[in-house]
Amino acid sequence: MRSFTNRTGDKVEVTQEHLDNALAIYEELSKNSPSGKVSWRKLKKMMIEDGFENAESNESYRQLIKRERKEQGKLPSVQKHADMLADNKIKSIQEEIGEMRSSKREAQDQYLKLNRLKREIIRDNAVLKELVEAVESNPLPEMKDIRPMFSGEDDKKTLIVCLSDIHYGAVVREFGYSYSSKIAETVMQDYLQKVIRIAEDNLVETIHVIGLGDYIEHITMRNDNVYMAEMTWSEQVVGVSQLVSNFLIQLAKYFKVNYTAIAGNHDRVAGNKSDNIYGDSAITISNEIVKSTTQHVENITCVKTDEYHYLLEVNGFNFLFIHGDRTSIKPKDILGRMSVLHDKQVHALISGHVHHFTMRECGYQKHVVSFGSIKGSDSFSVKIGSTAQRSQGVIIVSEDDYEIRKVNL
């Protein structure tokens, strides 16, 4: 008879029936999970529902199940599995899978409805009005008032502040990482404080705030989005727009602020990129909400730009901002390509998308950069081996030079 050590240190023996039941639940959960991963907490719950009270989720129990899977090399025999289903001994599997499939069908139905309406969302003034009214009926999240202390009038600089990969509405609670809308608000507050300190130290008068895309998480872009979002698509758009608006309002108390934002892959209306219409994105709506929210605030100017790129000239330096999903920054000649495409010498190409900071020097005052994310690491970044701490980025521009700086959060 097999055994494992429980959480109190006692040795617990389990029957073959216990093991067969656990393996059956494991395989069904794995098969119906978008990532193929199994929640041991859920497996334990289902085992207890099936009458196996001594099931655990600790490491010793996990290793026992893994050894048994390895030795069997497969599920219990087809006949045994069928008998278990027929005898209702693993009723919890049927209930759980039924809930999963029901949720998937509901998500698919929502996607079809969203796909039919996507052409109307941007152009329909009634929808925009509805979203704006939603903003006006919900107070902006508060951010602390941080008053800068300027020390002089000489050598004033311009500051470019990037907002990249907020993924508002996403929920992360795995692999030691966590994220939610509340955490997003806290991280944005931290970023605001650091931006004001940088601006104070460099005697900044004007700040250009540029959104690099992926403001929202979406709900139908991937199969697991619907399980990893805490609110609807519309609520995500309104929520992140409020968060960004308050960020701008706080900065405008001390600086002249220019704002624009471009779209990322998570911002598109259609889940499938091949179905999306050019410019059909949450950013178009968010920009309208931010403009409406801040239109009476002194020192804030909302700048209109192309949906997927923004070219900014400061003190003779040309900075091109993209999200990074439509144009890869990996080619060594990417700066030259972008310069030809936009008919202007591009000094720095700035992107988001990859959720971590990189900077490549391509010549004298020539750089290709990716800034990090507000969201931080999640199961997807763990899966592709690309984890990184939360960070954003700023560019400090003087009369004859510029400095690209990573801001850890």
Side-chain angles (χ1 to χ4, degrees), residues 162-188 191 213-219 221-222 224-230 236 240 243 265-266 323 353-356 371-382 384 386-392 407 409:
C162 291
L163 296 175
S164 180
D165 296 272
I166 300 174
H167 289 270
Y168 192 85
V171 176
V172 178
R173 296 192 188 95
E174 54 188 341
F175 302 106
Y177 305 112
S178 60
Y179 189 66
S180 65
S181 58
K182 291 296 182 185
I183 292 175
E185 292 171 12
T186 301
V187 175
M188 286 286 283
Y191 190 32
D214 278 6
Y215 268 18
I216 65 170
E217 175 64 10
H218 214 294
I219 58 170
M221 183 180 156
R222 294 194 296 263
D224 56 358
N225 276 134
V226 71
Y227 304 104
M228 296 181 178
E230 62 179 338
Q236 290 177 32
V240 76
L243 191 63
N265 51 313
H266 278 255
H323 179 63
H353 188 53
V354 295
H355 290 211
H356 61 269
F371 283 146
S373 71
I374 295 290
K375 180 184 181 183
S377 296
D378 57 12
S379 59
F380 183 74
S381 57
V382 170
I384 65 175
S386 184
T387 59
Q389 73 177 100
R390 292 188 179 104
S391 70
Q392 292 289 277
V407 180
L409 299 172

Side-chain angles (χ1 to χ4, degrees), residues 41-306:
R41 185 179 299 175
K42 186 175 291 185
L43 186 144
K44 174 186 174 182
K45 177 184 174 184
M46 294 170 68
M47 286 290 289
I48 292 173
E49 288 174 357
D50 286 344
F52 298 97
E53 301 289 340
N54 56 353
E56 285 275 3
S57 60
N58 66 0
E59 184 62 25
S60 179
Y61 186 79
R62 295 182 191 184
Q63 293 301 322
L64 170 65
I65 301 304
K66 289 177 180 178
R67 285 196 302 272
E68 185 68 16
R69 287 185 72 232
K70 184 176 180 181
E71 289 182 12
Q72 289 196 16
K74 59 180 180 179
L75 277 169
S77 69
V78 174
Q79 184 59 47
K80 183 180 289 186
H81 195 178
D83 290 344
M84 293 171 76
L85 286 169
D87 294 341
N88 204 28
K89 290 181 179 179
I90 51 174
K91 181 181 178 182
S92 58
I93 291 180
Q94 297 167 318
E95 293 174 351
E96 189 72 23
I97 301 310
E99 290 177 7
M100 286 182 178
R101 287 172 179 164
S102 176
S103 296
K104 287 182 179 179
R105 283 196 299 272
E106 186 177 337
Q108 289 168 352
D109 290 342
Q110 286 194 15
Y111 167 75
L112 291 173
K113 290 178 183 177
L114 186 61
N115 203 29
R116 286 195 297 269
L117 292 172
K118 64 182 180 180
R119 290 174 176 84
E120 300 174 15
I121 289 179
I122 306 304
R123 303 175 183 88
D124 193 339
N125 290 331
V127 175
L128 283 177
K129 182 179 178 182
E130 211 174 285
L131 287 167
V132 171
E133 287 175 352
V135 174
E136 293 173 347
S137 64
N138 291 280
L140 293 173
E142 292 186 3
M143 288 188 174
K144 295 178 183 178
D145 193 351
I146 307 143
R147 190 172 302 277
M149 300 295 293
F150 294 107
S151 57
E153 294 295 322
D154 298 327
D155 195 29
K156 285 184 169 54
K157 298 179 177 68
T158 298
L159 184 65
I160 300 172
V161 175
C162 291
L163 296 175
S164 180
D165 296 272
I166 300 174
H167 289 270
Y168 192 85
V171 176
V172 178
R173 296 192 188 95
E174 54 188 341
F175 302 106
Y177 305 112
S178 60
Y179 189 66
S180 65
S181 58
K182 291 296 182 185
I183 292 175
E185 292 171 12
T186 301
V187 175
M188 286 286 283
Q189 172 68 38
D190 183 24
Y191 190 32
L192 174 68
Q193 293 176 351
K194 291 179 178 179
V195 165
I196 290 178
R197 295 292 175 249
I198 292 170
E200 173 191 352
D201 292 343
N202 289 277
L203 303 176
V204 167
E205 286 186 327
T206 301
I207 295 180
H208 297 272
V209 179
I210 300 167
L212 296 181
D214 278 6
Y215 268 18
I216 65 170
E217 175 64 10
H218 214 294
I219 58 170
T220 59
M221 183 180 156
R222 294 194 296 263
N223 291 335
D224 56 358
N225 276 134
V226 71
Y227 304 104
M228 296 181 178
E230 62 179 338
M231 57 188 73
T232 66
W233 188 90
S234 296
E235 288 170 336
Q236 290 177 32
V237 176
V238 171
V240 76
S241 301
Q242 291 176 323
L243 191 63
V244 171
S245 294
N246 205 29
F247 186 89
L248 301 176
I249 290 169
Q250 294 299 319
L251 288 178
K253 292 179 179 179
Y254 315 111
F255 314 97
K256 179 182 177 182
V257 177
N258 297 319
Y259 172 76
T260 195
I262 57 177
N265 51 313
H266 278 255
D267 300 316
R268 62 183 178 240
V269 173
N272 190 327
K273 64 181 179 181
S274 61
D275 293 335
N276 205 65
I277 298 172
Y278 187 97
D280 212 6
S281 80
I283 290 298
T284 300
I285 298 174
S286 176
N287 284 345
E288 288 295 325
I289 294 174
V290 172
K291 182 179 178 180
S292 175
T293 304
T294 62
Q295 62 183 333
H296 300 302
V297 179
E298 189 176 356
N299 289 335
I300 296 180
T301 301
C302 291
V303 180
K304 190 173 180 61
T305 186
D306 182 88

